[in-house]
Amino acid sequence: MSEVEGTVQGHRDGHGFVVREGAAADLYLSPQEMRGVLHRDRVKARIVRYDKKGRPEGRVVEILERRKTPIIGRLLSENGVWLVAPEDKRYGHDILIPRNAIASAEPGQVVAVELTEPPSMHSQPVGRVTEVLGEIDDPGMEIEIAVRKYEVPHKFSDEALAQAAALPDQIRTADRKGRIDLTDVPLVTIDGEDARDFDDAVYCEPAKVGRSKGWRLIVAIADVSHYVRPGEPLDADAYERATSVYFPRRVIPMLPEKLSNGLCSLNPHVERLAMACDMLVTAEGEVEAYQFYPALIESHARLTYGEVAAILTNTRGPEAAKRADLVPHLLDLHEVYRALLKSRAVRGAVDFETTETQIVSDENGRIEKIVPRVRNEAHRLIEESMLAANVCSADFVARAKHPALYRVHEGPTPEKRTLLQNYLRALGIGLSIGDDPKPAEFQAIAEATKDRPDAAQIHSMLLRSMQQAIYTGINSGHFGLAYEAYTHFTSPIRRYPDLLVHRVIKALLLGKRYVLGASTSADALAERTKGTKPPRNTGEAKPAVSPELEPWQIAGAHCSANERRADEASRDVEAWLKCRYMREHLGEEYGGTVSAVTSFGLFVTLDALYVEGLVHITELGGEYFRFDEVRQELRGERSGLRYVIGTRVRVQVSRVDLDGRKIDFRMVHDDAEEAALMRARRERNAERSQSAADELSAIKGADRSAKAATRAKTKSRSSAAGSARAAKNATRKSASARGSATRKSRG
């Protein structure tokens, strides 16, 4: 059998997989095979068999590389034996700690462990404590665990901190050289109430575009590239992080605070360096012309989404009175936003309304409440302005035929497309997607079904059918936004791809080409991303990569992987906080909505708390529930009860697994629901009983008819047999009489 190389990905249940690059299927590793390896080890494995579904199973033949990063867990003492139970259950092994290697740690504390002896088929791994993080209940401990568990860089190098400290506190005269002075333009920043860094400012005024009415829209973005130069310590650290990571109450920034909250933050009433995207927008929302240039700006106000929404709603209200000089410009911004929306509708871009939540924490970092983030006109206004600038940057780079990092979002894979087509057909909606889906088809379905009771289910299926957006040097367009080319330009403080796009644009403005430096070399990437699961290949042939494009592909894979890592770390912390919060509500009942349906149960999101948990299929009732993959529903075979996304239910919090980040619910039926359920069961049973009685009656009737026919046939046969016997007897008597007469004549 063939041998393959890959990275081990453990599972909390004890088994694991060898993850291979590209579209190749993962190899299943049994719990026995996992005894000699650890999660994220790089191995060579042999395919030994295929299961009934054609999935390969493997056996590890060689360990190519052991993962050397510290393992986070709790220190325990059992019968005089010290060990660490890893926080990440995918490791599957408790780590033995010699008595002289526990440092100053106490039992129950969270520690970081370095392995001194790897596991084998016959022995557990051995390690030593390298860092004591503290008690599990310490405020912020869940974040300390997550950043180490997911290997998020959270400490800047001494060289980067020294370089940041050496930067000036204010704009210098030399920094102004070659820049357009926009300090008299009333640019403003519009962000959330809790924002600390401001990387974009906007301004709009009416303008003639050709012979028609239009607008001049300026989007000014912090010029991070002026301070973070290729190959310098700040750049190396920024590339390693690739993105800022946002946790409740804490942010791990991509850049040191002096830059992210200081020099590069567009704070009000101070001069800042920026890259401006200056656009002319038509009444139909089309960008007729644009130009990029380095600028010197001064934000005239720091506005919040709520404040701007209130001004747009009531231009004579108290909020508008405080910002009277800015109200006309905000109204112009609103007008250009409405025009950009027209263009969005013409393109057929996908636009689903989803509910995002925000965790409000107390002083100890625990959840106080979870509230929905309400998107208002101000949110959408800024989003459309940023989209316009991002599209212009992509067009500028593409026209110059210069490599860069594109934000690519591809359409559904063939498998997901087929599943969605079957689902829409089963619902009888009357609309579907073609074999070459277009964004407008998705948006048309969303619009046509938005008022249906099962709209949430349909929109969820539409979203889940799409692929995840990635960064890549090869432009394949953005499916969801319906753009032929799209880049990220508007957030260089917190995203490295944006910083690279800025550098490319600056080089092009000077008539030069930007060459990606050594900080994104293949060796550097390999060292930083070992064990990272690559994005799945869709199986389509990819264009050959030129030597100039290759470093961009490497940088794109690195930034995409670190973006996923940041998302996973953030979700892990939020899940831990929600589990901790729900432990205080065990046994309580809540109303909720089914948010996902699987073969093993339902995921339900609670109405008031916005917390999701699982109702296992065994908790649904005393009958067998069958999962319909096409309709995405669970249906009771006896009662006919159906559960789909959007179904309203009432549940009880039955179990919270803090280590596994899982919450379990138990289904609760009130008297009316129970009566309706029992009535449905009785009616179904009555129908089945009546059907059975009718069937039995039919069988009995058929039996009677068969018996009557048999009796008639038997009687007919008996009559015929009697006639035959009578004739035979008559013949015998006649023969006997003839014989008697003959004897008499002879005598």
Side-chain angles (χ1 to χ4, degrees):
M1 303 292 278
S2 61
E3 293 184 353
V4 300
E5 293 184 9
T7 303
V8 175
Q9 186 173 74
H11 191 278
R12 60 182 290 111
D13 291 339
H15 60 270
F17 301 90
V18 177
V19 179
R20 297 185 281 178
E21 294 183 1
D26 299 343
L27 265 67
Y28 172 81
L29 295 179
S30 67
Q32 178 73 13
E33 287 295 317
M34 288 295 294
R35 291 179 62 182
V37 296
L38 283 172
H39 173 60
R40 305 192 76 177
D41 283 348
R42 186 160 184 81
V43 301
K44 180 184 289 184
R46 179 181 294 119
I47 300 175
V48 294
R49 68 178 65 87
Y50 290 86
D51 65 11
K52 294 180 180 179
K53 295 184 178 180
R55 296 172 297 193
E57 298 182 14
R59 177 179 297 135
V60 176
V61 296
E62 183 182 354
I63 297 173
L64 302 176
E65 186 178 5
R66 293 282 189 184
R67 193 72 175 175
K68 297 179 181 178
T69 53
I71 298 174
I72 309 302
R74 295 183 69 179
L75 182 66
L76 306 174
S77 178
E78 297 181 358
N79 300 321
V81 177
W82 292 85
L83 54 87
V84 168
E87 168 68 23
D88 191 342
K89 301 305 178 185
R90 292 177 295 181
Y91 280 101
H93 296 270
D94 288 342
I95 303 165
L96 296 175
I97 309 294
R99 182 67 182 84
N100 59 356
I102 64 172
S104 59
E106 298 291 335
Q109 288 187 317
V110 181
V111 298
V113 174
E114 179 184 84
L115 292 186
T116 55
E117 295 180 27
S120 70
M121 298 297 288
H122 308 289
S123 63
Q124 288 180 258
V126 180
R128 65 183 185 89
V129 175
T130 58
E131 183 182 8
V132 180
L133 302 183
E135 302 294 338
I136 188 65
D137 291 327
D138 288 348
M141 180 55 66
E142 66 281 356
I143 297 176
E144 297 296 335
I145 292 173
V147 296
R148 291 164 176 82
K149 177 178 175 180
Y150 292 94
E151 300 178 30
V152 176
H154 58 287
K155 293 181 179 179
F156 289 102
S157 65
D158 293 338
E159 295 80 6
L161 291 174
Q163 185 184 356
L167 291 172
D169 295 324
Q170 297 178 343
I171 304 299
R172 297 169 297 190
T173 302
D175 298 329
R176 305 170 187 267
K177 186 177 179 181
R179 294 183 177 272
I180 304 297
D181 190 342
L182 298 180
T183 53
D184 60 332
V185 176
L187 288 150
V188 296
T189 61
I190 305 175
D191 294 275
E193 284 75 4
D194 54 350
R196 295 180 60 194
D197 54 67
F198 316 107
D199 48 14
D200 58 81
V202 291
Y203 167 76
C204 185
E205 66 182 13
K208 275 259 186 180
V209 183
R211 296 182 178 180
S212 304
K213 173 189 174 183
W215 296 270
R216 179 193 183 193
L217 173 63
I218 300 178
V219 175
I221 306 298
D223 190 359
V224 177
S225 62
H226 182 83
Y227 301 103
V228 182
R229 307 291 177 88
E232 294 183 348
L234 278 174
D235 183 56
D237 277 27
Y239 175 75
E240 184 180 20
R241 295 174 180 228
T243 181
S244 297
V245 186
Y246 293 86
F247 299 110
R249 288 170 48 96
R250 181 178 171 186
V251 177
I252 297 180
M254 187 180 78
L255 300 171
E257 188 173 352
K258 184 165 184 177
L259 287 165
S260 60
N261 293 346
L263 271 175
C264 294
S265 182
L266 306 183
N267 299 324
H269 310 302
V270 292
E271 292 183 343
R272 288 288 183 257
L273 306 183
M275 284 295 295
C277 179
D278 202 334
M279 298 166 274
L280 288 178
V281 183
T282 68
E284 289 72 36
E286 297 293 333
V287 178
E288 184 74 13
Y290 65 84
Q291 61 176 330
F292 289 93
Y293 50 82
L296 179 69
I297 72 164
E298 180 178 326
S299 171
H300 284 221
R302 181 268 200 261
L303 305 177
T304 66
Y305 292 123
E307 186 178 5
V308 172
I311 291 172
L312 296 177
T313 303
N314 183 6
T315 56
R316 296 183 179 181
E319 292 83 2
K322 294 177 185 176
R323 307 287 189 179
D325 55 331
L326 297 175
V327 169
H329 306 304
L330 293 178
L331 292 176
D332 289 333
L333 273 171
H334 192 244
E335 287 295 315
V336 77
Y337 151 70
R338 291 167 66 89
L340 291 170
L341 276 187
K342 293 181 186 177
S343 176
R344 184 189 190 102
V346 172
R347 291 196 321 271
V350 181
D351 187 15
F352 299 137
E353 286 292 336
T354 57
T355 302
E356 297 182 4
T357 58
Q358 176 184 1
I359 292 178
V360 179
S361 304
D362 59 20
E363 295 179 355
N364 296 320
R366 303 291 182 248
I367 292 181
E368 189 174 281
K369 59 182 177 179
I370 303 173
V371 297
R373 290 183 182 271
V374 179
R375 291 176 71 248
N376 54 39
E377 287 287 275
H379 286 88
R380 298 183 182 93
L381 181 155
I382 290 298
E383 286 173 8
E384 289 298 328
S385 299
M386 298 305 113
L387 289 177
N390 286 335
V391 172
C392 290
S393 65
D395 183 73
F396 186 68
V397 172
R399 286 177 181 273
K401 297 182 179 179
H402 193 293
L405 281 189
Y406 291 91
R407 183 65 168 177
V408 167
H409 181 225
E410 296 184 340
T413 62
E415 296 81 6
K416 289 186 175 182
R417 183 194 67 215
T418 302
L419 180 63
L420 180 60
Q421 287 172 334
N422 293 337
Y423 169 75
L424 295 172
R425 194 177 301 117
L427 290 185
I429 292 176
L431 293 173
S432 187
I433 60 172
D435 292 336
D436 183 19
K438 299 293 186 288
E441 295 175 314
F442 281 72
Q443 186 61 22
I445 295 170
E447 282 293 322
T449 59
K450 63 182 181 181
D451 296 326
R452 285 174 55 122
D454 56 353
Q457 177 188 9
I458 297 170
H459 294 182
S460 176
M461 284 296 293
L462 292 173
L463 280 171
R464 286 160 54 186
S465 70
M466 299 184 200
Q467 297 187 58
Q468 188 176 26
I470 61 171
Y471 294 106
T472 174
I474 299 173
N475 176 32
S476 302
H478 197 292
F479 181 84
L481 295 173
Y483 288 131
E484 293 183 1
Y486 187 70
T487 59
H488 274 169
F489 164 80
T490 53
S491 296
I493 290 179
R494 59 186 180 91
R495 293 190 305 228
Y496 197 82
D498 302 55
L499 175 58
L500 290 178
V501 170
H502 276 234
R503 289 175 179 168
V504 170
I505 291 174
K506 277 186 156 182
L508 291 175
L509 290 175
L510 295 174
K512 301 177 181 179
R513 292 182 75 82
Y514 175 69
V515 179
L516 214 51
S519 64
T520 53
S521 68
D523 292 340
L525 176 65
E527 182 63 30
R528 290 167 178 152
T529 59
K530 285 174 184 174
T532 300
K533 187 170 182 176
R536 282 293 185 201
N537 193 322
T538 60
E540 298 177 2
K542 298 295 181 183
V545 177
S546 66
E548 185 183 27
L549 187 58
E550 185 176 6
W552 291 94
Q553 286 293 84
I554 293 171
H558 172 74
C559 292
S560 298
N562 284 12
E563 179 186 44
R564 290 193 299 273
R565 179 181 67 183
D567 290 341
E568 289 172 359
S570 297
R571 283 196 297 266
D572 187 82
V573 168
E574 289 190 8
W576 191 93
L577 289 171
K578 288 178 179 179
C579 286
R580 183 63 183 265
Y581 179 62
M582 293 308 294
R583 283 206 310 188
E584 301 173 3
H585 299 274
L586 281 170
E588 296 183 14
E589 296 181 7
Y590 298 94
T593 304
V594 174
S595 53
V597 182
T598 70
S599 59
F600 54 84
L602 311 169
F603 285 95
V604 175
T605 300
L606 304 184
D607 293 340
L609 304 180
Y610 300 96
V611 171
E612 187 178 67
L614 173 69
V615 179
H616 196 267
I617 196 167
T618 56
E619 297 285 350
L620 294 181
E623 64 176 312
Y624 183 79
F625 279 83
R626 187 178 298 278
F627 177 60
D628 187 333
E629 185 178 13
V630 173
R631 293 180 177 272
Q632 290 290 297
E633 70 176 20
L634 281 172
R635 181 188 290 268
E637 285 199 340
R638 194 169 68 242
S639 66
L641 190 62
R642 297 170 59 247
Y643 290 106
V644 298
I645 297 174
T647 300
R648 299 283 304 146
V649 295
R650 187 161 186 82
V651 296
Q652 181 187 50
V653 183
S654 60
R655 180 175 174 269
V656 175
D657 179 4
L658 196 58
D659 292 335
R661 315 292 197 264
K662 294 180 179 179
I663 301 170
D664 290 335
F665 297 145
R666 181 183 297 116
M667 195 68 74
V668 176
H669 299 290
D670 59 25
D671 294 340
E673 289 175 328
E674 193 68 36
L677 186 59
M678 292 300 294
R679 187 163 54 252
R681 288 177 179 172
R682 284 196 300 270
E683 290 173 357
R684 183 172 288 269
N685 290 337
E687 289 175 3
R688 289 180 175 176
S689 299
Q690 184 62 42
S691 176
D694 293 344
E695 186 177 352
L696 181 59
S697 178
I699 292 173
K700 287 181 177 179
D703 283 346
R704 285 193 294 269
S705 299
K707 287 178 180 178
T710 302
R711 284 196 298 269
K713 185 182 289 187
T714 302
K715 187 175 181 181
S716 175
R717 286 177 180 172
S718 299
S719 177
S723 298
R725 282 195 299 271
K728 190 174 183 181
N729 291 335
T731 302
R732 285 176 179 173
K733 288 179 180 179
S734 176
S736 176
R738 286 196 303 271
S740 176
T742 302
R743 284 193 297 271
K744 285 180 179 181
S745 65
R746 286 179 181 175

